[in-house]
Amino acid sequence: MRQKLVAGNWKMHGGLKTNQQLLQDVVAGVAGLRNVAVAVCVPFPYLAQTQAVLSGTPVAWGAQNLSEQAQGAFTGEVSASMLQDFACRYVLVGHSERRAIYGETDSLVAEKFAAALASGLRPVLCVGETLEQRDAGKTLEVVFAQIDAVLARVGVAAFSGAVVAYEPVWAIGTGRTATSAQAQEVHAAIRAKLAKLDAGVAEGLQILYGGSVKPGNAVELFSMPDIDGGLIGGASLVASDFLAICAAAEK
Ligand code: PEP
């Protein structure tokens, strides 16, 4: 039985004052939850604050990006070991906004995935197709190519230390959610692809769905057999919504 995971992606939102309240509300709200793992991925400057509030609570934390480099003259970058200094458990890699806006390629994402693993972080590998690609019938081709780049770099066994998030680009921040059937189809295909290489790794892999998950659609999405929780953007900024989604993962 895979444990469900609900991870918030705050993106470039927050401030010291509002974070404090949000983090405290999340900690208070997850107290009654037993079967779901909860995490928040926050902007780099707030890792210290997040660590201070969440240490000793059931809520884990992480970052939204990292450098593929270990250290050196890479102005503006943040390394995996720096994230380790703040006891991060997770780090997003290959979020569609990083791919689309900052030009991250499949091979760069694979390097970042490897760097995260090498430092003991759990990379959350984000994959997903654009609307154009879906309409052209290329969803699995695109998603599989994104995964193949990582497989080629680290091998299938490495996925036992990772999480995959299927996030159709057309559903992120748009209010348009994939139907539970559309998401399940892709999740099952990802698991089947990995199962051909290692059945045990595939069976244990948490595959999250992301893209306009809200309290109103979370129960149905999370009831699908291959959807192991969610990566939550906008709704993770509102404690009551995020907590309702976490509660939906317990059902
Ligand atoms: C995300 O940023 O990963 C995401 C899924 O965003 P939203 O929930 O706002 O669509």
Side-chain angles (χ1 to χ4, degrees):
M1 247 312 251
R2 294 177 295 273
Q3 188 187 34
K4 289 225 173 19
L5 167 65
V6 176
N9 171 19
W10 289 6
K11 311 195 189 201
M12 198 172 73
H13 293 290
L16 283 175
K17 201 167 162 206
T18 52
N19 299 345
Q20 195 72 16
Q21 190 63 51
L22 177 55
L23 291 167
Q24 284 167 355
D25 288 350
V26 169
V27 169
V30 301
L33 303 180
R34 293 282 167 270
N35 302 319
V36 55
V38 176
V40 289
C41 294
V42 306
F44 296 132
Y46 301 132
L47 283 172
Q49 177 190 31
T50 301
Q51 181 182 19
V53 178
L54 298 185
S55 288
T57 79
V59 183
W61 61 94
Q64 302 167 14
N65 184 27
L66 82 168
S67 173
E68 75 283 10
Q69 304 288 344
Q71 64 169 6
F74 302 104
T75 301
E77 292 291 287
V78 172
S79 70
S81 69
M82 293 173 187
L83 300 183
Q84 279 291 24
D85 280 344
F86 294 94
C88 288
R89 178 164 168 79
Y90 297 100
V91 60
L92 306 184
V93 295
H95 190 279
S96 64
E97 288 151 17
R98 302 291 324 165
R99 294 178 189 264
I101 305 170
Y102 299 101
E104 293 193 6
T105 60
D106 288 352
S107 64
L108 177 62
V109 171
E111 290 302 325
K112 291 187 174 202
F113 186 104
L117 275 182
S119 281
L121 297 160
R122 284 182 94 76
V124 179
L125 172 66
C126 303
V127 297
E129 81 289 1
T130 63
L131 190 55
E132 202 181 15
Q133 291 164 334
R134 172 162 283 263
D135 288 345
K138 292 190 170 158
T139 297
L140 290 185
E141 189 185 315
V142 169
V143 167
F144 284 3
Q146 290 168 339
I147 292 174
D148 278 336
V150 178
L151 282 171
R153 176 65 180 79
V154 295
V156 69
F159 278 75
S160 64
V163 174
V164 170
Y166 169 57
E167 300 205 300
V169 178
W170 47 272
I172 296 179
T174 59
R176 185 176 162 188
T177 318
T179 65
S180 52
Q182 282 174 320
Q184 165 60 24
E185 189 183 359
V186 178
H187 284 230
I190 292 171
R191 201 178 306 284
K193 172 184 174 60
L194 293 173
K196 282 192 199 141
L197 301 171
D198 188 318
V201 167
E203 188 53 33
L205 180 68
Q206 289 169 316
I207 308 178
L208 312 184
Y209 169 77
S212 298
V213 179
K214 302 276 181 279
N217 58 28
V219 172
E220 193 187 331
L221 284 162
F222 297 166
S223 70
M224 303 308 279
D226 288 291
I227 300 182
D228 306 312
L231 181 56
I232 318 299
S236 72
L237 299 170
V238 179
S240 56
D241 285 354
F242 187 61
L243 289 166
I245 293 167
C246 294
E250 284 250 297
K251 296 212 167 85

